[in-house]
Amino acid sequence: PKVITDQDCLRELWTVAGRNMDDYVTLLPVDPFYQLQWEDGDRLNYTEDQATLEAEIARYNSDDVEGYRKFLSYSQDLYREGYEKLGTTAFLNFSQMLKAAPQLIRLRADKSVYAMVSKFVKHERVRQLLSFQSLLVGGNPFKTSSIYALIHALERKGGVWFAEGGTGSLVEGLIKLFKDIGG
């Protein structure tokens, strides 16, 4: 990964192995999380600070601040359903999938990330800000299920991190961990 949006998940891996992640890798916070830049030179900072982020959104359309807050609430719902509940479900049979269907239907997982973001905010650049995260998992925001809008809530909850020394140092830390535990 270039950025890490759930450092707690990594920390849990080291904890389960009886080790301290900080002995293997150093994660550094990234702020702004991202900076979007367009061909005309305009830039939009997606930052950890909520007030600063809302001020950035208001530069484009003040009505989109309230829309953003509603999107954040939607993203948090997705996070609870899609990450906390379904993220640990193996879906080994069809009945497990059927049990998840009502919540996914309620949250409109059949719509694309971009389509759902567009229901909340009107300015095109704000829409791009809130829908590009699906690119991080190799998805197209215009085609990828809106379930991936949960990434926004994940970032708001845990921040965005970078492994000191880059991706290679994280991989080296994982390899060392597995060697240390006899893997």
Side-chain angles (χ1 to χ4, degrees):
K2 300 293 184 209
V3 294
I4 296 159
T5 56
D6 190 355
Q7 72 157 317
D8 291 341
C9 183
L10 286 174
R11 288 194 181 283
E12 184 178 340
L13 174 67
W14 264 271
T15 300
V16 167
R19 301 294 197 276
N20 181 345
M21 184 177 85
D22 296 330
D23 295 336
Y24 293 79
V25 65
T26 301
L27 296 184
L28 304 171
V30 177
D31 196 32
F33 291 165
Y34 311 102
Q35 182 181 79
L36 278 67
Q37 181 174 341
W38 290 271
E39 289 180 2
D40 64 6
D42 185 29
R43 295 177 183 189
L44 196 163
N45 287 319
Y46 172 39
T47 183
E48 182 171 17
D49 181 74
Q50 194 68 24
T52 302
L53 176 59
E54 290 181 4
E56 284 282 282
I57 291 169
R59 285 191 307 124
Y60 295 94
N61 180 345
S62 59
D63 292 339
D64 279 348
V65 173
E66 185 58 32
Y68 164 71
R69 291 176 183 153
K70 290 176 181 174
F71 169 75
L72 177 58
S73 177
Y74 168 75
S75 180
Q76 290 166 335
D77 282 348
L78 286 170
Y79 176 82
R80 281 187 292 279
E81 290 300 320
Y83 198 78
E84 290 179 346
K85 291 181 183 177
L86 298 179
T88 58
T89 302
F91 293 110
L92 299 175
N93 58 53
F94 189 67
S95 66
Q96 288 175 310
M97 291 168 59
L98 283 177
K99 287 178 187 175
Q103 288 294 32
L104 295 176
I105 291 168
R106 180 184 67 82
L107 294 169
R108 297 308 314 252
D110 61 309
K111 299 287 185 188
S112 73
V113 172
Y114 185 85
M116 288 307 293
V117 165
S118 297
K119 294 181 101 177
F120 296 100
V121 296
K122 302 302 173 209
H123 197 281
E124 178 58 26
R125 290 186 175 177
V126 177
R127 288 176 174 178
Q128 291 174 17
L129 170 74
L130 299 176
S131 62
F132 85 92
Q133 287 87 347
S134 60
L135 296 170
L136 300 174
V137 295
N140 176 338
F142 297 99
K143 295 180 180 178
T144 302
S145 166
S146 64
I147 196 78
Y148 286 97
L150 69 78
I151 295 171
H152 185 77
L154 179 65
E155 292 170 341
R156 304 308 304 161
K157 180 180 181 283
V160 175
W161 300 83
F162 175 77
E164 185 175 53
T167 303
S169 68
L170 177 59
V171 171
E172 288 171 9
L174 286 165
I175 291 169
K176 184 175 182 332
L177 172 67
F178 291 123
K179 286 180 179 178
D180 288 353
I181 62 173

